[in-house]
Amino acid sequence: MPEPRADQSIQELESRCLERIAAARNAAELETARVEALGRKGGIAQFSKEMGKLAPEERARIGKLLNGARERLETAIEAGLKRFAEETLRARLESEWVDVTLPAPGPRRGHLHPITRIQRELEELFRSLGFAVLDGPEVETEYHNFDALNIPADHPARDMQDTFWLEGGNLLRTHTSPVQVRGMERLGPPLRMIAPGRAFRNESVDASHEHTFYQLEGMMVDREVSVAHLLYFMKTLLAAIFGREVTVRLRPGYFPFVEPGFELDVQCLICGGAGCPVCKQSGWVELLPCGLVNPKVLRMSGIDPEEWNGFAFGLGLTRLAMMRYGIDDIRHLQGGDLRFLEQF
Ligand code: FA5
């Protein structure tokens, strides 16, 4: 290795490697440049291998030159690594920037279930009309759920409400009507009361039937109560819930505790009357069975039917919620799926 050429080659190698290092656009490219310059088979290593062939004094001089070049290359590589680390950090800081002085989002706010909301609206409405809001037990006696409502043990009307029987002759109430009985027993006439709450039936569940659902019972006992009073209150109730007139029909209905008894149906608000699974293709949804209280029922609760009479109704609250919010399957309401509930 003649002396001037060796010097020049080392300088050329160094500047070539420095260019590569400077041109690297990322850590991977820088690593390639490092291997080419300082790796075991890199440029500097090639020169070092040739050193053995040199005269001793020349070897020391060239060795110094090579060491100088190696140090400068190492410095350049370190500077490059530092630059990339800083760039990566800067990009991360920019993308992960948070304003810690912003107020925390706080806990997610819930809201009332659609059935609760309707229940509360109706409670408010009926309170404003002079009705008391009563509560009653969900585990009922057979007497309050059936007998006191003129449904004795052998009566076919018991078959209309398939019942969850409990030990000791008690049952899960099949309707909110036993609260009428308790209201009459406790408060006596004149009486205006409603009783919202859960009812339970051994039903096969489908789009419009649940085994656990909500009803709102209502009763008025006074002197000379007529079907006209009943209709007035029912229409007031429906107009308040739907915020507009809804098409209703009244047809005879049989419940042993009322005489005469009616079924007040609403034109299906899901399909507008055309027919859908909720209205079982009939265009009407059974919502409000009602009637004038059977004198026998009044007498059983200690009220003289010669002096007093009244009306009663048992509103299907769950179905009402379905009609108001256009819910096409009752199972959504108690499924607990927040994606569904958050829509209301
Ligand atoms: C009764 O429960 C009577 N106690 C209502 C009554 C009260 C009549 C006072 C006269 C005087 P019925 O079984 O039809 O009646 O139920 C009343 C309402 O509850 C129905 O119109 C319906 O809206 C709702 N309902 C009944 N069964 C279910 C069910 N399985 N799932 C959801 N809603 C139901």
Side-chain angles (χ1 to χ4, degrees):
M1 196 191 290
E3 178 207 299
R5 261 192 59 214
D7 291 17
Q8 208 183 340
S9 301
I10 291 172
Q11 264 173 25
E12 278 171 12
L13 171 71
E14 183 182 336
S15 37
R16 207 169 51 242
C17 289
L18 284 173
E19 268 171 36
R20 283 287 190 87
I21 291 165
R25 281 165 306 172
N26 52 44
E29 286 183 13
L30 185 62
E31 174 61 10
T32 312
R34 187 193 67 79
V35 171
E36 278 173 11
L38 303 171
R40 270 196 304 134
K41 292 180 183 163
I44 298 284
Q46 296 297 332
F47 266 95
S48 302
K49 265 191 219 155
E50 304 288 321
M51 297 265 291
K53 297 179 191 158
L54 298 174
E57 64 282 10
E58 191 58 2
R59 200 182 299 160
R61 198 180 64 81
I62 295 290
K64 252 186 174 170
L65 283 180
L66 270 179
N67 277 343
R70 181 186 291 116
E71 273 167 24
R72 283 187 293 279
L73 287 171
E74 279 171 354
T75 311
I77 287 165
E78 263 167 39
L81 281 175
K82 203 170 154 215
R83 180 162 51 90
F84 289 130
E86 279 168 3
E87 274 172 18
T88 312
L89 181 66
R90 200 175 317 119
R92 241 187 94 189
L93 286 177
E94 265 165 36
S95 67
E96 294 177 11
W97 183 87
V98 212
D99 183 350
V100 291
T101 63
L102 276 178
R108 210 167 58 163
R109 237 171 118 173
H111 63 76
L112 294 177
H113 191 279
I115 296 180
T116 312
R117 202 181 301 168
I118 291 198
Q119 180 181 322
R120 294 205 180 164
E121 281 174 33
L122 285 175
E123 286 176 8
E124 206 168 300
L125 171 74
F126 277 100
R127 263 201 208 103
S128 77
L129 295 168
F131 285 63
V133 181
L134 301 189
D135 201 5
E138 291 179 343
V139 172
E140 258 301 0
T141 61
E142 184 179 351
Y143 172 78
H144 284 97
N145 196 80
F146 289 128
D147 301 80
L149 290 161
N150 195 28
I151 317 176
D154 54 355
H155 199 287
R158 285 213 179 182
D159 297 342
M160 282 156 41
Q161 303 188 357
D162 206 348
T163 311
F164 292 112
W165 289 95
L166 306 173
E167 282 167 7
N170 289 335
L171 47 84
L172 289 182
R173 68 178 181 197
T174 54
H175 48 181
T176 42
S177 300
V179 191
Q180 291 183 24
V181 178
R182 292 181 180 278
M184 287 188 287
E185 286 173 352
R186 281 267 175 93
L187 304 172
L191 174 67
R192 290 184 189 195
M193 53 142 286
I194 59 162
R198 283 197 300 182
F200 311 85
R201 290 186 199 176
N202 188 12
E203 302 257 18
S204 30
V205 172
D206 62 22
S208 55
H209 291 83
E210 263 288 4
H211 47 74
T212 304
F213 56 96
Y214 286 77
Q215 286 188 340
L216 184 140
E217 194 77 9
M219 178 180 233
M220 177 172 167
V221 180
D222 213 315
R223 294 188 170 92
E224 294 177 26
V225 174
S226 71
V227 174
H229 293 112
L230 170 64
L231 282 180
Y232 166 78
F233 283 106
M234 298 305 94
K235 282 191 173 167
T236 307
L237 180 166
L238 292 172
I241 285 300
F242 294 109
R244 62 184 163 108
E245 290 287 313
V246 287
T247 312
V248 297
R249 72 175 184 189
L250 202 61
R251 59 191 166 86
Y254 177 67
F255 303 93
F257 35 100
V258 284
E259 179 59 41
F262 309 105
E263 286 283 3
L264 194 142
D265 301 337
V266 211
Q267 193 167 60
C268 182
L269 296 172
I270 307 283
C271 62
C276 71
V278 170
C279 62
K280 298 218 165 62
Q281 313 304 331
S282 72
W284 296 92
V285 175
E286 189 188 300
L287 202 63
L288 241 174
C290 50
L292 295 186
V293 186
N294 190 320
K296 272 178 150 178
V297 170
L298 292 173
R299 194 174 294 115
M300 273 190 275
S301 294
I303 298 177
D304 179 5
E306 300 297 326
E307 191 182 350
W308 305 96
N309 73 338
F311 69 72
F313 61 92
L315 172 71
L317 260 192
T318 308
R319 295 228 185 119
L320 188 68
M322 292 172 75
M323 288 295 111
R324 176 152 105 175
Y325 294 114
I327 298 164
D328 62 3
D329 197 309
I330 198 168
R331 287 163 285 201
H332 290 315
L333 277 163
Q334 269 151 196
D337 188 338
L338 289 181
R339 290 169 307 173
F340 167 77
L341 291 172
E342 276 164 358
Q343 297 173 55
F344 303 98

